[in-house]
């Protein structure tokens, strides 16, 4: 990728934010762009206004969401002609993953601003917005529902990626097939993290006959050496992060696991930066994703391979923090725009947008699989997920060669997962 120096600086800023008692956020449109982009098909006319629940506040920020949003707006409005010729306007509202009140405040702001849809930027407290959005007829659209209660219902929401359980089932399936029956995962000490472990991961592991343990760290002040020692204790076959707010968390934990000589499979949630940072030392480490990511570009099929190059160019040009959250947000907004252009509603109202997205059938997503939306039992359009393994210096590949389909019988037992 380009803009390496800018990304190291962004990573350093992320460290400062994680360890500071003062909340950090990046609400700028661009900070370090440098990639030359030729003019494309520019949108015109009255903007289509959408809201973004952006976890840019509090101790568990996800700065890549801002980068992905800025890059996607540039691409959608100035390259692919917006949505059916009209530009999008994103009302960016910062939320705190530890505070449902901030999500409620943003939902009320979106109603007052007259948005016709909202984008879930991986907000762990998204459920708090649903009564307000549903009452106003404003749908919630996202990639992964980080809130499992949001994922349990299909009402007034669409997610282009899998239910959170899909990643856990797919990962556990892969470990089991490799003969690895023990796992220790750590996560930020947030209500959603406990809910995911207690209600999803622990029961799934029990069904598969696996020994799975969890540990939690304070979001603003993780002790990575202590976390690494906790993971290494008992020598589990695999260990690492269940989820990560940013790449810096993965980088620090990966380095700490090396320092305590942990020899099992290192699992680093949906991070990518560690692949380059650790180089050959990262070989064997694994991470998950709903979409293809840049370190695995050589393994991606078309059109994802070409689309990855496009996304990388616009994300580099936007500056800021790259990684999974940037690519995931970029893909979510682009799929939102392209799907509504391909199947444009008669008018761009919340209910019409929701109906159009729920009507998607065999839609080829920008960086992911084909999507089939609108099932009454789930808000998600696919159950497929990718599990990447670092195979060489700075290179990843899917452990199965492509997407994993989590066990349908297991998924059917989880509300909203199938």
């Amino acid at each position: 990728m380009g803009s390496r120096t800018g990304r190291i600086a962004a990573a350093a800023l992320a460290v400062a934010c994680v360890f500071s008692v003062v909340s950090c956020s990046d609400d700028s449109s661009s900070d370090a762009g440098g990639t030359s982009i030729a003019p494309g098909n520019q949108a015109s006319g009255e903007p289509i206004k959408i809201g973004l629940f952006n976890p840019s506040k509090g101790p568990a920020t996800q700065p890549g969401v801002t980068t992905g949003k800025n890059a996607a707006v540039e691409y959608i409005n100035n390259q692919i002609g917006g949505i059916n010729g009209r530009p999008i306007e994103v009302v960016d509202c910062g939320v705190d993953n530890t505070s449902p009140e901030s999500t409620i405040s943003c939902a009320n702001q979106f109603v007052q601003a007259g948005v016709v849809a909202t984008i879930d930027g991986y907000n762990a407290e998204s459920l708090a917005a649903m009564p307000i959005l549903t009452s106003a007829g404003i749908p919630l659209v996202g990639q992964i529902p980080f809130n499992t209660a949001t994922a349990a219902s299909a009402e007034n929401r669409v997610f282009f990626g899998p239910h959170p359980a899909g990643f856990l089932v797919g990962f556990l399936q892969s470990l089991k097939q490799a003969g690895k029956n023990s796992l220790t995962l750590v996560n930020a000490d947030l209500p959603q993290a406990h809910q995911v472990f207690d209600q999803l991961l622990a029961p799934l592991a029990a069904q598969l006959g696996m020994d799975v343990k969890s540990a939690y760290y304070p979001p603003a002040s993780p002790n990575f050496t202590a976390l690494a020692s906790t993971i290494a204790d008992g020598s589990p076959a695999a260990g690492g992060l269940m989820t990560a707010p940013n790449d810096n968390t993965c980088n620090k934990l990966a380095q700490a696991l090396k320092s305590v000589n942990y020899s099992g499979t290192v699992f680093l949630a949906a991070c990518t930066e560690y692949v380059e940072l650790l180089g050959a030392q990262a070989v064997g480490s694994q991470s998950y994703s709903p979409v293809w990511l840049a370190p695995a570009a050589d393994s991606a099929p078309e059109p994802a391979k070409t689309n990855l190059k496009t996304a990388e160019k616009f994300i580099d040009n936007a500056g800021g923090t790259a990684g999974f959250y940037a690519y995931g947000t970029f893909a979510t907004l682009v799929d939102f725009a392209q799907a509504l252009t391909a199947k444009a509603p008669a008018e761009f109202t919340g209910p019409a947008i929701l109906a159009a997205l729920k009507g998607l059938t065999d839609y080829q997503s920008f960086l992911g699989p084909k999507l089939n939306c609108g099932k009454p039992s789930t808000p998600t359009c696919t159950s497929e997920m990718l599990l990447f393994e670092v195979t060489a210096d700075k290179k990843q590949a899917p452990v199965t060669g492509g997407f994993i389909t989590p066990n349908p019988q297991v998924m059917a037992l989880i509300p909203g997962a199938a």
Side-chain angles (χ1 to χ4, degrees), residues 98-390:
T98 67
S99 168
E101 291 79 13
S102 68
T103 293
I104 292 170
S105 175
C106 284
N108 285 321
Q109 288 183 45
F110 293 149
V111 173
Q112 294 169 4
V115 306
V116 294
T118 57
I119 302 298
D120 179 3
Y122 308 96
N123 177 14
E125 295 295 343
S126 59
L127 185 68
M130 292 314 303
I132 298 167
L133 298 180
T134 302
S135 177
I138 302 170
L140 180 70
V141 181
Q143 186 70 230
I144 309 171
F146 268 25
N147 186 291
T148 55
T150 302
S153 171
E155 183 185 15
N156 199 44
R157 67 207 79 173
V158 175
F159 288 88
F160 298 141
H163 187 284
F167 297 100
L168 301 177
V169 174
F171 178 47
L172 291 177
Q173 283 177 194
S174 176
L175 288 178
K176 189 72 174 180
Q177 290 168 2
K180 300 176 181 181
N181 295 310
S182 56
L183 169 67
T184 299
L185 291 178
V186 300
N187 210 345
D189 194 4
L190 301 173
Q192 266 301 300
H194 289 271
Q195 187 175 359
V196 168
F197 182 85
D198 295 339
Q199 298 182 15
L200 293 180
L201 187 57
L204 291 173
Q207 285 187 2
L208 292 170
M210 300 181 68
D211 178 20
V212 177
K213 298 176 182 178
S214 66
Y216 300 92
Y217 61 87
S221 56
N223 183 324
F224 292 103
T225 301
L227 285 174
S229 297
T230 297
I231 291 171
D233 184 38
S235 301
L241 283 161
M242 191 186 315
T243 60
N246 50 54
D247 274 281
N248 176 68
T249 303
C250 291
N251 298 342
K252 292 293 186 181
L253 182 62
Q255 291 170 322
L257 286 168
K258 292 295 180 183
S259 73
V260 300
N261 298 315
Y262 174 64
S263 59
T265 297
V266 176
F267 181 70
L268 295 170
C271 291
T272 59
E273 194 175 275
Y274 76 95
V275 178
E276 179 174 347
L277 183 68
L278 297 184
Q281 286 190 313
V283 172
S285 302
Q286 295 184 353
S287 55
Y288 65 69
S289 176
V291 296
W292 289 94
L293 297 173
D298 289 347
S299 301
E302 293 293 356
K305 186 187 294 286
T306 296
N307 289 343
L308 266 174
K309 293 179 181 178
T310 299
E312 181 178 6
K313 179 168 62 175
F314 280 85
I315 287 170
D316 279 349
N317 194 62
T321 301
F324 165 74
Y325 290 110
Y327 280 83
T329 302
F330 186 93
T332 299
L333 283 163
V334 172
D335 279 326
F336 178 83
Q338 290 188 334
L340 290 177
T341 297
K343 194 172 182 178
E347 55 181 351
F348 286 96
T349 63
I353 288 172
L354 180 67
L357 294 179
K358 283 186 174 289
L360 292 177
T361 302
D362 286 333
Y363 166 76
Q364 178 56 62
S365 63
F366 189 72
L367 292 178
K370 288 187 176 181
L371 306 181
N372 290 283
C373 309
K375 293 181 181 179
S377 57
T378 176
T380 63
C381 300
T382 183
S383 64
E384 294 182 284
M385 52 83 71
L386 287 159
L387 181 64
F388 295 122
E389 181 168 296
V390 181

Side-chain angles (χ1 to χ4, degrees), residues 54-134:
N54 186 347
S56 58
K57 309 294 183 183
T61 60
Q62 295 159 355
V65 171
T66 297
T67 305
K69 178 262 296 185
N70 291 337
V73 170
E74 174 69 20
Y75 177 67
I76 292 166
N77 287 347
N78 297 319
Q79 288 291 313
I80 62 171
I83 298 177
N84 208 32
R86 292 171 57 184
I88 63 168
E89 177 185 336
V90 177
V91 180
D92 188 330
C93 189
V95 297
D96 179 346
N97 268 320
T98 67
S99 168
E101 291 79 13
S102 68
T103 293
I104 292 170
S105 175
C106 284
N108 285 321
Q109 288 183 45
F110 293 149
V111 173
Q112 294 169 4
V115 306
V116 294
T118 57
I119 302 298
D120 179 3
Y122 308 96
N123 177 14
E125 295 295 343
S126 59
L127 185 68
M130 292 314 303
I132 298 167
L133 298 180
T134 302

Side-chain angles (χ1 to χ4, degrees), residues 3-17 31-32 248 273 320-321:
S3 302
R4 301 300 188 188
T5 303
R7 291 184 186 182
I8 297 298
L13 176 61
V15 176
C17 291
D31 63 358
N248 176 68
E273 194 175 275
T321 301

